[in-house]
Amino acid sequence: YERYDSPPRVLFKAIIATSADQALKEFRTRRTSDSGLNITERQMNRLGYDLLRIDRKSDAVLVFQQNADDFPKSGNAWDSLAEAHLAAGNKEKAIEFYKRSLQLDPTNKNAEAKIRELTAKP
């Protein structure tokens, strides 16, 4: 289990108290001067999915965008960003980011299936 004061938990609490926009701005500023504030790709991804689970879709999108910015070569980070956009109703962005994920990870069956599903003619 993570400590109650671990960087991901502190960031999650800050997002809930304010917004992802504000909390992530503070996080980015503080982490440049404090190497202990680094959050791994996996931790940030989990944070985004936690936000989706409590229906904080716009906050989740921002968290996943931060993760994709921090780990631009990760197909998983872009796939998660696509999922958040899809949950928020941004179909075009979801398709764009699923394609990005698939470029980075050609074995990503989820992205492949979602692109096919979202671009299928009715």
Side-chain angles (χ1 to χ4, degrees):
Y1 293 99
E2 282 181 324
R3 290 177 46 97
Y4 74 95
D5 61 349
S6 69
R9 286 190 182 228
V10 170
L11 180 56
F12 182 78
K13 291 173 192 174
I15 291 169
I16 297 303
T18 59
S19 69
D21 187 44
Q22 183 177 341
L24 286 168
K25 281 179 189 172
E26 291 174 19
F27 167 74
R28 285 188 294 269
T29 301
R30 291 184 56 220
R31 79 174 174 182
T32 57
S33 62
D34 183 352
S35 62
L37 284 178
N38 286 329
I39 296 178
T40 67
E41 176 188 353
R42 185 176 182 178
Q43 290 170 322
M44 190 67 87
N45 221 39
R46 186 174 58 237
L47 178 66
Y49 281 111
D50 287 345
L51 290 165
L52 280 179
R53 272 191 285 284
I54 61 171
D55 206 32
R56 299 278 297 257
K57 294 172 188 159
S58 60
D59 287 334
V61 165
L62 292 174
V63 166
F64 286 125
Q65 183 64 61
Q66 181 67 54
N67 206 25
D69 291 345
D70 289 345
F71 303 95
K73 294 182 181 182
S74 168
N76 186 53
W78 291 101
D79 185 83
S80 297
L81 178 58
E83 286 187 34
H85 274 289
L86 187 58
N90 304 323
K91 181 179 172 182
E92 287 73 27
K93 283 285 188 190
I95 293 168
E96 174 187 346
F97 295 133
Y98 278 126
K99 286 180 179 179
R100 183 87 161 271
S101 174
L102 196 56
Q103 285 175 336
L104 294 166
D105 179 8
T107 66
N108 186 340
K109 299 296 181 193
N110 179 61
E112 193 176 299
K114 288 293 187 177
I115 292 167
R116 197 171 31 256
E117 174 187 324
L118 294 170
T119 58
K121 304 286 184 209

